[in-house]
Amino acid sequence: MAALKKRYYPKIAEEVYLATLDNGMSLSIIKKKGFIEKAAFLSTNFGALDNRFYIDGKLQTYPAGIAHFLEHKLFEDDQGRDVTLDFVKLGADVNAFTTLDRTTYYFSTIDHFEESLELLLKFTSEFTSSEDTVNHEKRIIEQEINMYQDDPDYRVYLGCLQSLYPNTILGQDIAGSIDSIKKITTKDLKNNFDYFYRPENCHLVLIGNFDIEQIYRFVKETRSEFTISHKTVEKEKQPIEENIQKLDSLQMDISISKLAIGFKNVHFSDNYMRESISVQLLFNLLFGWTSPYYKNWYAEGKIDESMSIEYEVSSRYSFVIMTMDTAEPIRMSSLIRQVMTSADKQRLLTEEALDLQKKALYGEFLRSLDNIQNLGSQYLAYSDDGKTYFDFGQELMSITSKDLKDFFNHYLSNLVITDFVVFPK
């Protein structure tokens, strides 16, 4: 058994203990002194994008939404009972989420942590279901998908993503579509469980004021018996690319138009943490609430507090989507494009302006360390290439204005932009 390796981050007074268990599972124990609440996150490297992969060199294709469907089904035991009830009895709050890259199950509690952890490991280590229960779940997920069709914020975001990546899995909802869900079978779910819910494909993150040796011993003694696949599973590695669609729109019963502007780019480097930080700094400088453009547009009534910016950077994609409520969607789209292509923007990329943005982002980073659920999600998102989320601050503060200008020149030369608008009926 490999020993625990301690990493200490003196500037932020954080410590994490790392190990790889005998069954191949990655383990991170984050010690939070003084905290009463404890949490556990079990994440598998299997997300919405992974419906095409290779088994022993042969391509396998499954319907969109299968990762999210499997997330739903694992909460049901072999008797068709919701395991959430068992967590409730222990006083634990349990949930799960599926992203483009991962599926994560987590709970938080004050008491009965070890019993809750044993339950988490157990229900994520086995798949038992029938065609009847799968068909029942299809109806539930179909209702979920239909519900989001009435949400204009969801529709404008997804519409923009579909315009950025048309005819690709990235341009589809994480839950799939009504048509794709209907195609999923019990065998499909079992196959994907066996392929991806293997210990070497999973990461267990524990956060709390633990006795490190005691909790490590408990994990080693009670780790679940995962279904082991003896096949070689290889995920798609190529970037997701497709020519974008130009401005598209729809109409809904809303009082003011909703605009989404999507920016798609190619990678600047293999350091995805640094690239993600650079993207955030760049768009905050240009369009964040301290930007002169934002201030002017807000003062003129062109935008309001609804304006938001979402960043996504991974080995297979890099995109930014800005969304806002505005009475002038076409005009705002034009103004934002002008900012991205005008020479005037360079005056915003100064060392002084960058320093302010770095401090603001560093403050958000520090605040996230005291929110257990946020910390767990961020830790999983940024655990890559030997780094952890605790390296975020150091990486952030090392970026200079020259670094950002070099990054922006690359970004601008490879940038494609599209729009999606939801107009009032």
Side-chain angles (χ1 to χ4, degrees):
M1 169 66 65
L4 279 170
K5 295 181 180 179
K6 178 180 177 180
R7 288 190 190 176
Y8 182 65
Y9 299 82
K11 288 187 176 181
I12 53 176
E14 295 287 350
E15 57 187 272
V16 58
Y17 296 80
L18 309 170
T20 301
L21 303 181
D22 283 346
N23 62 6
M25 180 184 290
S26 298
L27 172 67
S28 297
I29 306 174
I30 300 172
K31 187 173 179 65
K32 299 294 290 185
K33 295 178 182 178
F35 275 58
I36 298 176
E37 184 183 12
K38 297 175 181 177
F41 297 76
L42 191 285
S43 188
T44 179
N45 187 20
F46 176 49
L49 299 187
D50 302 318
N51 70 324
R52 283 170 52 89
F53 50 89
Y54 296 87
I55 299 296
D56 294 338
K58 295 184 64 176
L59 177 64
Q60 309 289 316
T61 302
Y62 289 91
I66 193 164
H68 174 261
F69 201 124
L70 194 51
E71 173 213 312
H72 274 233
K73 288 304 298 173
L74 286 193
F75 275 94
E76 192 176 90
D77 66 16
D78 55 0
Q79 304 299 317
R81 184 172 160 277
D82 188 350
V83 298
T84 301
L85 300 174
D86 296 322
F87 283 94
V88 171
K89 289 179 181 178
L90 293 171
D93 183 20
V94 67
N95 214 325
F97 59 88
T98 303
T99 65
L100 297 173
D101 302 305
R102 310 192 67 85
T103 306
T104 301
Y105 305 82
Y106 64 96
F107 72 85
S108 61
T109 188
I110 295 176
D111 299 311
H112 306 295
F113 179 80
E114 292 184 350
E115 296 98 315
S116 300
L117 177 57
E118 187 173 8
L119 181 58
L120 175 72
L121 293 173
K122 182 177 186 300
F123 92 82
T124 55
S125 70
E126 54 192 16
F127 175 82
T128 55
S129 192
S130 66
E131 288 294 342
D132 286 342
T133 58
V134 168
N135 288 332
H136 175 70
E137 197 64 41
K138 286 180 181 180
R139 292 191 289 272
I140 294 175
I141 296 177
E142 286 174 7
Q143 290 174 0
E144 180 181 329
I145 293 171
N146 285 328
M147 178 182 67
Y148 281 113
Q149 299 306 307
D150 295 328
D151 183 343
D153 292 310
Y154 165 85
R155 294 293 299 276
V156 75
Y157 180 89
L158 184 62
C160 187
L161 191 58
Q162 290 172 337
S163 294
L164 281 176
Y165 298 93
N167 307 312
T168 71
I169 185 64
L170 188 49
Q172 297 193 44
D173 187 285
I174 285 174
S177 65
I178 300 296
D179 289 339
S180 70
I181 292 303
K182 289 179 179 177
K183 298 175 184 176
I184 293 175
T185 66
T186 304
K187 183 179 179 181
D188 292 339
L189 294 167
K190 180 65 166 64
N191 286 344
N192 279 261
F193 177 84
D194 290 345
Y195 295 148
F196 291 106
Y197 282 71
R198 298 172 293 127
E200 65 269 30
N201 198 47
C202 294
H203 190 173
L204 177 63
V205 179
L206 310 180
I207 307 175
N209 190 16
F210 299 110
D211 178 317
I212 298 299
E213 289 300 329
Q214 178 181 323
I215 194 64
Y216 183 41
R217 184 166 55 251
F218 179 83
V219 171
K220 288 190 294 183
E221 291 173 354
T222 62
R223 65 186 185 273
S224 56
E225 295 298 328
F226 280 74
T227 303
I228 304 297
S229 171
H230 298 289
K231 298 179 181 294
T232 301
V233 182
E234 184 178 2
K235 296 171 65 171
E236 287 272 12
K237 297 179 180 178
Q238 295 299 317
I240 299 175
E241 288 297 338
E242 187 75 20
N243 292 330
I244 66 167
Q245 294 178 179
K246 298 301 182 182
L247 175 65
D248 200 358
S249 66
L250 59 82
Q251 291 183 318
M252 296 183 70
D253 287 324
I254 54 177
S255 60
I256 188 170
S257 296
K258 292 182 179 291
L259 167 67
I261 306 176
F263 307 84
K264 182 167 68 172
N265 218 296
V266 297
H267 290 298
F268 184 60
S269 73
D270 292 333
N271 186 338
Y272 300 120
M273 177 186 287
R274 190 177 184 85
E275 183 162 339
S276 178
I277 293 171
S278 296
V279 170
Q280 292 181 58
L281 288 172
L282 176 63
F283 276 82
N284 286 348
L285 280 165
L286 295 179
F287 304 112
W289 64 272
T290 60
S291 159
Y293 298 114
Y294 179 97
K295 292 178 180 178
N296 290 339
W297 296 336
Y298 185 86
E300 294 168 0
K302 289 184 170 63
I303 60 172
D304 58 21
E305 295 91 343
S306 67
M307 181 171 167
S308 66
I309 310 173
E310 182 167 326
Y311 321 87
E312 290 282 355
V313 176
S314 86
S315 60
R316 297 186 63 195
Y317 52 83
S318 176
F319 67 87
V320 176
I321 295 182
M322 295 176 58
T323 58
M324 67 201 73
D325 293 352
T326 175
E328 306 175 61
I330 306 304
R331 176 61 176 156
M332 279 307 305
S333 174
S334 176
L335 289 172
I336 289 171
R337 289 168 184 265
Q338 288 175 29
V339 172
M340 292 300 293
T341 56
S342 70
D344 184 54
K345 64 186 174 297
Q346 292 292 343
R347 69 182 175 85
L348 300 180
L349 307 185
T350 64
E351 200 72 58
E352 181 181 6
L354 175 60
D355 186 55
L356 285 174
Q357 288 299 327
K358 285 163 63 173
K359 288 178 179 177
L361 198 54
Y362 194 83
E364 292 179 14
F365 164 66
L366 291 179
R367 286 191 293 274
S368 74
L369 302 179
D370 290 332
N371 183 313
I372 279 186
Q373 292 195 7
N374 190 21
L375 174 57
S377 298
Q378 294 294 333
Y379 186 87
L380 287 165
Y382 283 102
S383 292
D384 195 20
D385 297 329
K387 296 183 179 180
T388 75
Y389 180 55
F390 297 128
D391 293 299
F392 185 97
Q394 182 176 346
E395 195 76 53
L396 164 66
M397 300 310 289
S398 72
I399 296 175
T400 66
S401 60
K402 182 182 183 304
D403 293 334
L404 195 61
K405 287 177 181 178
D406 290 343
F407 172 76
F408 185 70
N409 289 332
H410 161 85
Y411 199 86
L412 189 60
S413 63
N414 294 280
L415 182 66
V416 291
I417 307 176
T418 192
D419 311 73
F420 193 91
V421 182
V422 177
F423 291 105
K425 283 187 176 178

